[in-house]
Amino acid sequence: MAIDRLLGLACRKIQIYDQDIGQLKLETPSRLDALKRVLQGPEQDALQIAVRDATALRKVHPLLNNLLTTYSHRLLAQQTSEQLAHLRDSMILVDDRHALIRFDHDQARSKLLIDEADEVRPYLIRFAEILSEGGESISSSTLGL
């Protein structure tokens, strides 16, 4: 319910950091609609996804892969570097004001922040640091020679 509420508030930008996005169930119709709505907006990197393991995103989520193809100019998807593999938390950040923070991907304990820009700011900084560590870009197509 918290994910649906959070994605329903999204207007400009969604940033997701997770183990493999499997538990987020982003391919449900309402969640896909929220992602598309944001991707059709004015932001350059309207949807940013960082995952520790991209296998599921590449092989199990065809509707998300379609988004990668259709909105590749507005979407950034990246598998984080190996040096971040020890991290166990997850976060969804929306419009720099709302967030859902899960402290450990194996536990249900989490924090939902609505209209809390000051409380969300450290998580925005952390997300930017995670992306800046580099990693492998996730694309909907496989390049070969």
Side-chain angles (χ1 to χ4, degrees):
M1 287 179 20
I3 293 172
D4 289 329
R5 181 172 179 202
L6 195 62
L7 293 179
L9 295 170
C11 296
R12 299 181 303 103
K13 189 177 213 175
I14 299 172
Q15 298 165 299
I16 299 171
Y17 174 63
D18 193 54
Q19 170 66 30
D20 61 6
I21 69 165
Q23 293 182 351
L24 301 180
K25 306 216 183 311
L26 294 175
E27 291 199 335
T28 64
S30 64
R31 292 178 184 180
L32 270 177
D33 287 344
L35 296 178
K36 286 179 191 175
R37 184 183 67 247
V38 169
L39 287 167
Q40 292 169 349
E43 286 286 324
Q44 181 61 30
D45 287 328
L47 177 59
Q48 298 175 331
I49 300 173
V51 293
R52 293 183 289 278
D53 181 2
T55 305
L57 183 57
R58 288 187 176 115
K59 296 180 179 180
V60 182
H61 300 289
L63 298 175
L64 286 176
N65 273 314
N66 286 343
L67 288 182
L68 283 171
T69 301
T70 306
Y71 298 100
S72 62
H73 60 293
R74 296 206 177 281
L75 188 146
L76 170 73
Q78 172 178 310
Q79 178 172 312
T80 60
S81 66
E82 286 296 318
Q83 60 197 23
L84 299 178
H86 66 284
L87 299 178
R88 299 186 51 82
D89 62 333
S90 300
M91 64 180 116
I92 301 174
L93 310 171
V94 171
D95 294 341
D96 301 336
R97 299 178 352 188
H98 319 293
L100 176 62
I101 310 302
R102 191 166 181 183
F103 301 108
D104 188 305
H105 65 84
D106 289 335
Q107 298 178 11
R109 186 171 168 254
S110 59
K111 175 171 39 172
L112 178 63
L113 303 168
I114 303 294
D115 280 326
E116 298 285 345
D118 291 337
E119 270 194 75
V120 171
R121 192 169 295 116
Y123 297 105
L124 292 167
I125 293 167
R126 184 154 184 272
F127 187 84
E129 290 170 348
I130 289 169
L131 284 183
S132 71
E133 285 292 322
E136 182 182 336
S137 181
I138 301 169
S139 150
S140 63
S141 60
T142 304
L143 298 177
L145 299 176

